[in-house]
Amino acid sequence: MRGKRIYIIGGLLFTLIILLTACATFNTYYKLGYQASLNKDWDKAVKYFERALKEDPKNSVYRVALARAKIEACNYHLIEARRKARIGKKDEAIKEYRKALFYDPLNGMIINEMRELRGEEVKKPEVKIEVPVKLKTDKEKINLKFIDTNLSSIFKALGKHAGINVLFDEQFKDKPMSFSIEDMTFKEALDSLCLATRNFYRVVNERTIIIVPDNAMKRRQYEITAIKTFYLSNAKAEDVRAVLSQVLRTEYRPPFIYVDKNLNSITLRDSPENIRLAEKLIKNMDKAKGEVIIDLEIMEVSRSKLRQYGIDFDTYGVGLKYETPASGEEKGWINLPELDFSQRSNYFITLPTSFIKLLETDADTKIIAQPRLRGIEGEEITYTVGDKVPIPRTTFTPIAAGGVSQQPITSFEYQDVGITLKITPYIHFEREVTLELEIKVTSLSGTGYAGIPILGTREVKNVIRLKEGETNLLAGLLRDEERKSLKGIAGLKNLPIIGSLFSSTDQTISQTDIILTITPYIIRSISIDKENLEPLWIGLKEEPTRGLPEVEFPEEERRPREIEREKNEISISPSYFTVPKGREFFVNILIRSDEEVGNMSITLNFDPNILQAKDVRPGGFINQFGRNVPFLKNIANGTITIGFSSPDISKGAKGRGVFARISFIAKNRGEGSISITSVSANAPTGKLISFITRDGKVKVE
């Protein structure tokens, strides 16, 4: 007896120790940190979790909780820093950046953003494409004029002036032409002459070039090409190739592009100019996608109430059985003359059993989830919380080949029961986020035939646009279900007052409500700077001619040659050139005046059957007054009138430069002239100024 008491006391002590151990599973600091995380006070949460981990360094739960709290604290201070930077609180924003770096010291994105806010330049690697052979010439301005001179002689004269040896391709066509050069470097004059005569040049060495006819065959033969591989970090190589193949395509040849899917790289073979253009395009396209953090709070409140009362009968009804000893010989057969109800042993009556039901249950359930989801822009984020319920699926197959489908085969398909969220975020430049939401709530609503569960579904699909940090509340996913069943003896269960003595009532009330709050935060948006927004110009004077290397100028300068010229002159540049039909080209009106010009008007004539004037723009000679200079332009059928007047009546313009730039379209084949028919100019004092004019010719092929 004494041993039994000791055994009982020992069992009670062991149970008490287990209970105390269970209560002390998580220490006080962890509980405080968990409460702080629920309140989204991440700084306090980090401190409490650090103390909890210090007391129990081997506890993996504390370690995971601390790591999550540090990430959340870093994101919180990063978002606050960006918000304060947008409203102009620079010092406070830098403090927030430092707090974010305290929790994540190796985050390069935070470091770069803080440097940009301070005004520090973030160095970006630049790779320049250098050709192996460069042409060496000087910065001397050239002023030459050729009238009805062979084209080869003009090229040689330019080369002799710059100290460059000029060679010619075997298919070069020599023809007489007039050409004037006003204040141009050797490269500018060479480019203009090649453009006007449909030729291009190839650098042979530092002091030698070759002039080649500009056609597809000669381009492929002489043009310099380069090969470069671009390694992509964010964009897909196939998408980039589709853009480059269209943008870099020219009349001479399509670009050669090879894609390596394993390395996600693009190898491009093309001219140096196209390689540089492709590098800028790839830099604009290979941007990191934006990232967002989505804070979710899901609360599901459910209540189920069951009430059962009354008298419940079993499924068997009233029965009567009659059997005599004589009837045992012929089982199931009774002779009617032998019926005898006077003997009690010959028959018996069965009545249904019954029991009184007085049962009531009431259950409340509350589920709270606070997930924080991080995702990439344009990619779907899926979050599911719940269970998987097996749903039987029965199919019928034939027992033998060609037979009737009568053999049942049952398989099970697992269905998600709970809450499923699908979110696809899109980031806008206004610091707003568009969310494509798909919310599906599935629950067990009962059982059907053969105990197969019946699933209830509530589904919402919506697209919302929220500001960063804005919270959206989604509620009303309420389900209220009430069932009531009455069972009893037919005819008696419906009697008033006493009917409850012959029946039982089952009442079930089920209520479920789901409340969801969603808050997006932008972690990283697409980085677009001023350089990305600038257009990429092709074919301008500042850019090298297609397929040609850049010109290098030595430090020594040569003594300029003195060329005799008239005092005041207006001329067409180029003076003679050839263009193909349908192409747009430009003509410069050059002016040289040693006297101040206060106002001027020029009238030009051209053949409208061959050329079509498109537009006229003022040149540098007029723009020296500023931007708001009164400028006159009038384009009629074969006539162009250009004029200007000084905004200051006491001052005028003098020197040399481009008076205006006219754009033409070559309409039809033929040869015509662009002639200056009249010039009217006055000095600020009212004195008339006379000019010598020189016309131009154009041939449309």
mmCIF file of all heavy atoms in Angstrom, residues 302-309 357-365 483 505-511:
data_model
loop_
_atom_site.group_PDB
_atom_site.id
_atom_site.type_symbol
_atom_site.label_atom_id
_atom_site.label_comp_id
_atom_site.label_asym_id
_atom_site.label_seq_id
_atom_site.Cartn_x
_atom_site.Cartn_y
_atom_site.Cartn_z
ATOM 1 N N SER A 302 -14.516 31.905 -37.032
ATOM 2 C CA SER A 302 -15.579 30.941 -37.319
ATOM 3 C C SER A 302 -16.239 30.507 -36.014
ATOM 4 O O SER A 302 -15.585 30.399 -34.970
ATOM 5 C CB SER A 302 -15.024 29.715 -38.059
ATOM 6 O OG SER A 302 -14.058 29.055 -37.257
ATOM 7 N N ARG A 303 -17.521 30.271 -36.101
ATOM 8 C CA ARG A 303 -18.281 29.821 -34.945
ATOM 9 C C ARG A 303 -19.254 28.745 -35.397
ATOM 10 O O ARG A 303 -19.957 28.906 -36.396
ATOM 11 C CB ARG A 303 -19.055 30.974 -34.314
ATOM 12 C CG ARG A 303 -19.855 30.566 -33.077
ATOM 13 C CD ARG A 303 -20.638 31.723 -32.514
ATOM 14 N NE ARG A 303 -21.357 31.348 -31.306
ATOM 15 C CZ ARG A 303 -22.193 32.137 -30.654
ATOM 16 N NH1 ARG A 303 -22.420 33.355 -31.097
ATOM 17 N NH2 ARG A 303 -22.799 31.726 -29.552
ATOM 18 N N SER A 304 -19.281 27.637 -34.663
ATOM 19 C CA SER A 304 -20.208 26.544 -34.963
ATOM 20 C C SER A 304 -20.995 26.208 -33.699
ATOM 21 O O SER A 304 -20.434 26.108 -32.603
ATOM 22 C CB SER A 304 -19.449 25.307 -35.457
ATOM 23 O OG SER A 304 -18.538 24.853 -34.473
ATOM 24 N N LYS A 305 -22.289 26.056 -33.865
ATOM 25 C CA LYS A 305 -23.185 25.789 -32.745
ATOM 26 C C LYS A 305 -24.083 24.618 -33.115
ATOM 27 O O LYS A 305 -24.714 24.608 -34.176
ATOM 28 C CB LYS A 305 -24.025 27.033 -32.431
ATOM 29 C CG LYS A 305 -24.806 26.944 -31.136
ATOM 30 C CD LYS A 305 -25.467 28.287 -30.833
ATOM 31 C CE LYS A 305 -26.193 28.244 -29.487
ATOM 32 N NZ LYS A 305 -26.829 29.542 -29.172
ATOM 33 N N LEU A 306 -24.124 23.609 -32.232
ATOM 34 C CA LEU A 306 -24.909 22.404 -32.472
ATOM 35 C C LEU A 306 -25.872 22.207 -31.306
ATOM 36 O O LEU A 306 -25.475 22.287 -30.133
ATOM 37 C CB LEU A 306 -23.988 21.173 -32.606
ATOM 38 C CG LEU A 306 -24.664 19.811 -32.742
ATOM 39 C CD1 LEU A 306 -25.491 19.724 -34.012
ATOM 40 C CD2 LEU A 306 -23.625 18.695 -32.702
ATOM 41 N N ARG A 307 -27.109 21.957 -31.629
ATOM 42 C CA ARG A 307 -28.130 21.724 -30.609
ATOM 43 C C ARG A 307 -28.961 20.515 -31.022
ATOM 44 O O ARG A 307 -29.503 20.471 -32.128
ATOM 45 C CB ARG A 307 -29.015 22.954 -30.453
ATOM 46 C CG ARG A 307 -30.082 22.822 -29.365
ATOM 47 C CD ARG A 307 -30.952 24.062 -29.298
ATOM 48 N NE ARG A 307 -30.147 25.222 -28.934
ATOM 49 C CZ ARG A 307 -30.628 26.463 -28.950
ATOM 50 N NH1 ARG A 307 -31.871 26.705 -29.334
ATOM 51 N NH2 ARG A 307 -29.850 27.470 -28.600
ATOM 52 N N GLN A 308 -29.066 19.521 -30.105
ATOM 53 C CA GLN A 308 -29.851 18.303 -30.327
ATOM 54 C C GLN A 308 -30.736 18.058 -29.101
ATOM 55 O O GLN A 308 -30.237 18.014 -27.971
ATOM 56 C CB GLN A 308 -28.925 17.092 -30.550
ATOM 57 C CG GLN A 308 -28.060 17.199 -31.797
ATOM 58 C CD GLN A 308 -27.095 16.031 -31.915
ATOM 59 O OE1 GLN A 308 -26.756 15.392 -30.905
ATOM 60 N NE2 GLN A 308 -26.659 15.743 -33.131
ATOM 61 N N TYR A 309 -32.045 17.895 -29.327
ATOM 62 C CA TYR A 309 -32.957 17.638 -28.219
ATOM 63 C C TYR A 309 -34.157 16.856 -28.762
ATOM 64 O O TYR A 309 -34.475 16.901 -29.948
ATOM 65 C CB TYR A 309 -33.409 18.938 -27.561
ATOM 66 C CG TYR A 309 -34.115 19.898 -28.487
ATOM 67 C CD1 TYR A 309 -35.503 19.864 -28.642
ATOM 68 C CD2 TYR A 309 -33.382 20.843 -29.212
ATOM 69 C CE1 TYR A 309 -36.132 20.748 -29.504
ATOM 70 C CE2 TYR A 309 -34.013 21.720 -30.070
ATOM 71 C CZ TYR A 309 -35.397 21.675 -30.206
ATOM 72 O OH TYR A 309 -36.019 22.537 -31.068
ATOM 73 N N LYS A 357 -32.392 12.889 -26.199
ATOM 74 C CA LYS A 357 -31.201 13.662 -26.581
ATOM 75 C C LYS A 357 -31.329 15.082 -26.033
ATOM 76 O O LYS A 357 -32.266 15.799 -26.365
ATOM 77 C CB LYS A 357 -31.047 13.704 -28.102
ATOM 78 C CG LYS A 357 -30.843 12.332 -28.735
ATOM 79 C CD LYS A 357 -30.913 12.385 -30.247
ATOM 80 C CE LYS A 357 -29.806 13.238 -30.814
ATOM 81 N NZ LYS A 357 -29.829 13.205 -32.296
ATOM 82 N N LEU A 358 -30.356 15.471 -25.220
ATOM 83 C CA LEU A 358 -30.284 16.834 -24.684
ATOM 84 C C LEU A 358 -28.816 17.270 -24.768
ATOM 85 O O LEU A 358 -28.076 17.233 -23.791
ATOM 86 C CB LEU A 358 -30.789 16.887 -23.241
ATOM 87 C CG LEU A 358 -32.267 16.557 -23.025
ATOM 88 C CD1 LEU A 358 -32.584 16.459 -21.538
ATOM 89 C CD2 LEU A 358 -33.150 17.631 -23.668
ATOM 90 N N LEU A 359 -28.387 17.639 -26.001
ATOM 91 C CA LEU A 359 -26.982 17.957 -26.244
ATOM 92 C C LEU A 359 -26.876 19.320 -26.928
ATOM 93 O O LEU A 359 -27.612 19.625 -27.862
ATOM 94 C CB LEU A 359 -26.336 16.889 -27.142
ATOM 95 C CG LEU A 359 -24.875 17.117 -27.538
ATOM 96 C CD1 LEU A 359 -23.982 17.104 -26.310
ATOM 97 C CD2 LEU A 359 -24.426 16.045 -28.529
ATOM 98 N N GLU A 360 -25.899 20.151 -26.482
ATOM 99 C CA GLU A 360 -25.669 21.464 -27.087
ATOM 100 C C GLU A 360 -24.177 21.777 -27.022
ATOM 101 O O GLU A 360 -23.565 21.666 -25.957
ATOM 102 C CB GLU A 360 -26.460 22.550 -26.372
ATOM 103 C CG GLU A 360 -26.310 23.927 -27.010
ATOM 104 C CD GLU A 360 -27.213 24.965 -26.368
ATOM 105 O OE1 GLU A 360 -27.968 24.602 -25.453
ATOM 106 O OE2 GLU A 360 -27.150 26.132 -26.779
ATOM 107 N N THR A 361 -23.597 22.111 -28.171
ATOM 108 C CA THR A 361 -22.169 22.465 -28.252
ATOM 109 C C THR A 361 -22.037 23.829 -28.913
ATOM 110 O O THR A 361 -22.802 24.196 -29.807
ATOM 111 C CB THR A 361 -21.383 21.421 -29.063
ATOM 112 O OG1 THR A 361 -21.905 21.374 -30.401
ATOM 113 C CG2 THR A 361 -21.486 20.044 -28.447
ATOM 114 N N ASP A 362 -21.013 24.574 -28.492
ATOM 115 C CA ASP A 362 -20.753 25.905 -29.025
ATOM 116 C C ASP A 362 -19.237 26.072 -29.110
ATOM 117 O O ASP A 362 -18.541 25.978 -28.088
ATOM 118 C CB ASP A 362 -21.364 26.975 -28.130
ATOM 119 C CG ASP A 362 -21.431 28.334 -28.811
ATOM 120 O OD1 ASP A 362 -20.820 28.461 -29.892
ATOM 121 O OD2 ASP A 362 -22.074 29.246 -28.269
ATOM 122 N N ALA A 363 -18.716 26.308 -30.339
ATOM 123 C CA ALA A 363 -17.264 26.382 -30.533
ATOM 124 C C ALA A 363 -16.929 27.642 -31.319
ATOM 125 O O ALA A 363 -17.594 27.967 -32.313
ATOM 126 C CB ALA A 363 -16.763 25.143 -31.279
ATOM 127 N N ASP A 364 -15.891 28.347 -30.860
ATOM 128 C CA ASP A 364 -15.384 29.537 -31.544
ATOM 129 C C ASP A 364 -13.943 29.274 -31.974
ATOM 130 O O ASP A 364 -13.142 28.740 -31.202
ATOM 131 C CB ASP A 364 -15.416 30.772 -30.637
ATOM 132 C CG ASP A 364 -16.846 31.248 -30.392
ATOM 133 O OD1 ASP A 364 -17.679 30.995 -31.272
ATOM 134 O OD2 ASP A 364 -17.097 31.854 -29.337
ATOM 135 N N THR A 365 -13.632 29.690 -33.205
ATOM 136 C CA THR A 365 -12.276 29.517 -33.731
ATOM 137 C C THR A 365 -11.814 30.834 -34.335
ATOM 138 O O THR A 365 -12.556 31.467 -35.089
ATOM 139 C CB THR A 365 -12.232 28.413 -34.805
ATOM 140 O OG1 THR A 365 -12.755 27.207 -34.259
ATOM 141 C CG2 THR A 365 -10.807 28.191 -35.289
ATOM 142 N N ARG A 483 -28.783 24.968 -40.336
ATOM 143 C CA ARG A 483 -29.500 23.758 -40.745
ATOM 144 C C ARG A 483 -30.321 23.237 -39.557
ATOM 145 O O ARG A 483 -29.849 23.235 -38.421
ATOM 146 C CB ARG A 483 -28.529 22.667 -41.205
ATOM 147 C CG ARG A 483 -27.763 23.019 -42.470
ATOM 148 C CD ARG A 483 -26.879 21.874 -42.887
ATOM 149 N NE ARG A 483 -26.138 22.194 -44.098
ATOM 150 C CZ ARG A 483 -25.325 21.324 -44.709
ATOM 151 N NH1 ARG A 483 -25.165 20.111 -44.197
ATOM 152 N NH2 ARG A 483 -24.687 21.687 -45.809
ATOM 153 N N THR A 505 -34.939 16.839 -32.635
ATOM 154 C CA THR A 505 -34.555 17.988 -33.470
ATOM 155 C C THR A 505 -33.040 18.174 -33.424
ATOM 156 O O THR A 505 -32.444 18.186 -32.340
ATOM 157 C CB THR A 505 -35.247 19.266 -32.987
ATOM 158 O OG1 THR A 505 -36.666 19.073 -33.017
ATOM 159 C CG2 THR A 505 -34.872 20.447 -33.879
ATOM 160 N N ASP A 506 -32.410 18.316 -34.633
ATOM 161 C CA ASP A 506 -30.979 18.628 -34.761
ATOM 162 C C ASP A 506 -30.847 19.989 -35.426
ATOM 163 O O ASP A 506 -31.350 20.200 -36.537
ATOM 164 C CB ASP A 506 -30.257 17.579 -35.606
ATOM 165 C CG ASP A 506 -30.205 16.228 -34.913
ATOM 166 O OD1 ASP A 506 -30.513 16.172 -33.711
ATOM 167 O OD2 ASP A 506 -29.870 15.236 -35.587
ATOM 168 N N GLN A 507 -30.167 20.934 -34.747
ATOM 169 C CA GLN A 507 -29.985 22.287 -35.270
ATOM 170 C C GLN A 507 -28.491 22.623 -35.294
ATOM 171 O O GLN A 507 -27.803 22.502 -34.286
ATOM 172 C CB GLN A 507 -30.737 23.311 -34.423
ATOM 173 C CG GLN A 507 -30.670 24.729 -34.965
ATOM 174 C CD GLN A 507 -31.451 25.712 -34.108
ATOM 175 O OE1 GLN A 507 -31.891 25.361 -33.005
ATOM 176 N NE2 GLN A 507 -31.633 26.932 -34.595
ATOM 177 N N THR A 508 -27.982 23.034 -36.486
ATOM 178 C CA THR A 508 -26.568 23.367 -36.665
ATOM 179 C C THR A 508 -26.461 24.781 -37.230
ATOM 180 O O THR A 508 -27.079 25.091 -38.256
ATOM 181 C CB THR A 508 -25.881 22.380 -37.620
ATOM 182 O OG1 THR A 508 -26.040 21.052 -37.126
ATOM 183 C CG2 THR A 508 -24.395 22.703 -37.748
ATOM 184 N N ILE A 509 -25.676 25.624 -36.547
ATOM 185 C CA ILE A 509 -25.441 27.003 -36.985
ATOM 186 C C ILE A 509 -23.931 27.173 -37.195
ATOM 187 O O ILE A 509 -23.139 26.896 -36.289
ATOM 188 C CB ILE A 509 -25.958 28.017 -35.953
ATOM 189 C CG1 ILE A 509 -27.471 27.855 -35.749
ATOM 190 C CG2 ILE A 509 -25.632 29.440 -36.393
ATOM 191 C CD1 ILE A 509 -28.031 28.738 -34.664
ATOM 192 N N SER A 510 -23.555 27.602 -38.412
ATOM 193 C CA SER A 510 -22.139 27.779 -38.741
ATOM 194 C C SER A 510 -21.938 29.163 -39.343
ATOM 195 O O SER A 510 -22.630 29.541 -40.292
ATOM 196 C CB SER A 510 -21.686 26.705 -39.735
ATOM 197 O OG SER A 510 -20.336 26.890 -40.086
ATOM 198 N N GLN A 511 -20.981 29.915 -38.798
ATOM 199 C CA GLN A 511 -20.663 31.257 -39.278
ATOM 200 C C GLN A 511 -19.155 31.371 -39.482
ATOM 201 O O GLN A 511 -18.376 30.952 -38.628
ATOM 202 C CB GLN A 511 -21.115 32.329 -38.281
ATOM 203 C CG GLN A 511 -22.621 32.440 -38.111
ATOM 204 C CD GLN A 511 -23.000 33.491 -37.094
ATOM 205 O OE1 GLN A 511 -22.174 33.897 -36.280
ATOM 206 N NE2 GLN A 511 -24.251 33.928 -37.113
#
